[in-house]
Amino acid sequence: MFGAVQLGVLAAGIVLFVPMAMAGYHLSRNKVLFFSGALFITLAVGVHLTPYFPLISDFIYSVPPVLVVEDRDSCISYLHDVVYEVSLHLHNRDNNHFNDDNFSNISNYKGLWRWEKSVPVSACEFQQLGKSDASDLLNGSWIVVAGDSQARLAVVSLLSLVLDLEKMELIRGDLFKRHSDYQIFVDEIGMRLDFVWAPYVKNLTDLVIDFKRNRNYPDVLVMGAGLWHMLHVTNPLDYGVQLQLLRDSLVSVLPFSPEFDTNGPVTGSVSIRSPHLFWLGMPMLVNTMLNSEEKREKMSGAMMNAYDKELYRSKLLRQSGGPLLLLNIQSLSQKCGVQCAMDGMHYNGAVYEAAVHIMLNALLIESHQRLL
């Protein structure tokens, strides 16, 4: 933004250098002095009167500043700065209960979100990846997504990026089987994706131990659980204990450096590149839309807050010193709003699509890549 100091420097430069240029054309000293005085007076009046002319002032102050990001890692903190443009017709109010059929409806919503146009976000140059860019980025990768139905919806959005509609229809029956694992290999790009049904944190810990036992780690690991524990156990303190056990397992069995970077294994460990790790957070819960009295009683706002506190206390997330980067579904669902909710805990595809693009842009940053 141009300020008074910048305008003053500009005016002084004009007053100083324009007369010098005129002198170079051998004009008389009186003419140069006259022109210099007139120019100085004109610029002084203009600078002082500019704020009183809205059109001129708006033009000057609307010029965006140029911000150069020297350390792209700092862009991680801006990844969730998104806005939504939501139309009411996106919400299927005739079907308030979530079932397998709703999955197909959710995955079809596109282009309802974008990153904010703030200066730091623009400087980070985040991108919504198309099929070609996403395929290039994920080429040859092994991706594991483990969790409950929230994780399954993230898989839907991810596969929708790399598969065409015809192939998505072919796999829909297997992909939308409730409470089951799913695996696919995309031959065109050599990408393997495993969805592991893991509704409890204990299931995630067991999965991590299996990786260690097999001495085989995915390139990208996305995990998240909490809704089932909230409904069937309803004990935030126990949830926190389970999260700490998961963190301890991750630290002890996966090939991290002490600072949880992805540059390579710790000394003496298996010579393997550390996976990129993400935690898929729980969504905003719309209590009045939940489809049973038990859910409305146990999954209250106060209970959700208690579970969130345990997540941050567990130091599982990178922002609190842990290994996992948060994909903040709660923040995204809040920004999308109640109209995006299908049944109070599952949302239309705009929420999970944004989460997938946030993950992909984080992969670009962490792997020091840029899209051409």
Side-chain angles (χ1 to χ4, degrees):
M1 180 182 296
F2 283 111
V5 174
Q6 290 90 333
L7 288 175
V9 171
L10 177 62
I14 294 175
V15 171
L16 175 63
F17 293 109
V18 170
M20 291 176 63
M22 294 177 63
Y25 284 98
H26 305 291
L27 297 178
S28 66
R29 184 176 62 179
N30 290 338
K31 289 182 178 181
V32 171
L33 291 175
F34 174 79
F35 182 83
S36 299
L39 183 60
F40 178 81
I41 294 172
T42 302
L43 288 174
V45 172
V47 168
H48 285 85
L49 294 183
T50 293
Y52 300 97
F53 293 89
L55 290 178
I56 299 176
S57 181
D58 290 346
F59 171 76
I60 292 175
Y61 289 100
S62 65
V63 177
V66 177
L67 179 63
V68 178
V69 178
E70 296 181 356
D71 181 11
R72 292 199 73 226
D73 290 341
S74 63
C75 290
I76 293 289
S77 60
Y78 299 107
L79 279 169
H80 288 83
D81 291 359
V82 304
V83 293
Y84 283 87
E85 297 176 2
V86 182
S87 300
L88 291 178
H89 75 277
L90 298 178
H91 185 73
N92 183 1
R93 300 187 182 277
D94 295 330
N95 188 356
N96 194 44
H97 296 278
F98 186 82
N99 53 47
D100 290 349
D101 293 333
N102 280 351
F103 276 98
S104 59
N105 293 332
I106 288 175
S107 64
N108 289 331
Y109 294 117
K110 300 291 182 181
L112 303 177
W113 68 277
R114 60 173 174 79
W115 271 285
E116 293 179 359
K117 296 181 179 179
S118 64
V119 173
V121 172
S122 298
C124 289
E125 298 180 330
F126 300 137
Q127 297 189 46
Q128 294 188 25
L129 279 68
K131 180 180 179 181
S132 177
D133 288 331
S135 297
D136 288 343
L137 177 62
L138 301 176
N139 183 44
S141 298
W142 176 25
I143 303 170
V144 174
V145 181
D148 52 21
S149 54
Q150 299 292 320
R152 194 186 297 270
L153 290 172
V155 170
V156 174
S157 290
L158 179 57
L159 287 179
S160 297
L161 266 181
V162 297
L163 298 178
D164 55 34
L165 291 176
E166 182 179 352
K167 290 185 178 179
M168 283 296 293
E169 288 299 325
L170 291 175
I171 68 173
R172 194 171 298 278
D174 292 331
L175 180 58
F176 297 135
K177 286 181 180 178
R178 299 181 66 193
H179 307 172
S180 63
D181 297 344
Y182 177 78
Q183 182 181 96
I184 185 174
F185 188 84
V186 183
D187 295 313
E188 295 84 351
I189 59 174
M191 184 193 81
R192 171 185 167 186
L193 187 146
D194 291 330
F195 168 73
V196 180
W197 172 250
Y200 293 100
V201 176
K202 174 65 166 58
N203 304 136
L204 301 177
T205 303
D206 292 341
L207 177 65
V208 171
I209 294 174
D210 285 341
F211 290 143
K212 177 64 174 182
R213 182 184 301 115
N214 298 326
R215 300 169 66 89
N216 192 20
Y217 306 94
D219 298 293
V220 180
L221 177 58
V222 183
M223 299 187 292
L227 292 176
W228 276 57
H229 193 283
M230 188 185 301
L231 178 60
H232 299 295
V233 181
T234 324
N235 187 332
L237 293 179
D238 179 75
Y239 181 65
V241 170
Q242 297 300 319
L243 290 173
Q244 291 175 22
L245 291 174
L246 173 60
R247 181 190 185 278
D248 293 342
S249 297
L250 283 166
V251 173
S252 64
V253 305
L254 289 181
F256 300 120
S257 69
E259 295 78 19
F260 301 114
D261 62 27
T262 55
N263 294 327
V266 294
T267 303
S269 69
V270 181
S271 181
I272 254 179
R273 180 173 58 85
S274 296
H276 298 276
L277 301 172
F278 298 91
W279 179 260
L280 193 69
M282 290 187 286
M284 174 184 71
L285 297 177
V286 186
N287 191 267
T288 57
M289 295 180 66
L290 297 176
N291 56 21
S292 73
E293 184 60 34
E294 181 184 17
K295 289 180 180 178
R296 288 190 289 271
E297 178 182 349
K298 294 183 176 180
M299 307 178 82
S300 63
M303 187 61 66
M304 184 70 182
N305 291 336
Y307 270 65
D308 281 342
K309 288 181 180 178
E310 293 302 323
L311 173 61
Y312 289 99
R313 286 175 181 170
S314 69
K315 295 185 178 180
L316 182 67
L317 303 181
R318 190 181 302 178
Q319 60 203 80
S320 56
L324 276 69
L325 179 64
L326 176 64
L327 299 176
N328 198 335
I329 299 296
Q330 184 176 75
S331 172
L332 296 174
S333 55
Q334 286 175 340
K335 291 178 180 180
C336 200
V338 175
Q339 63 268 35
C340 292
M342 301 298 290
D343 66 344
M345 67 171 66
H346 302 95
Y347 286 77
N348 73 43
V351 170
Y352 306 99
E353 180 184 312
V356 167
H357 281 276
I358 288 171
M359 180 189 75
L360 295 179
N361 277 267
L363 290 176
L364 285 170
I365 293 172
E366 292 182 344
S367 59
H368 307 289
Q369 298 183 57
R370 287 181 180 270
L371 297 175
L372 299 177

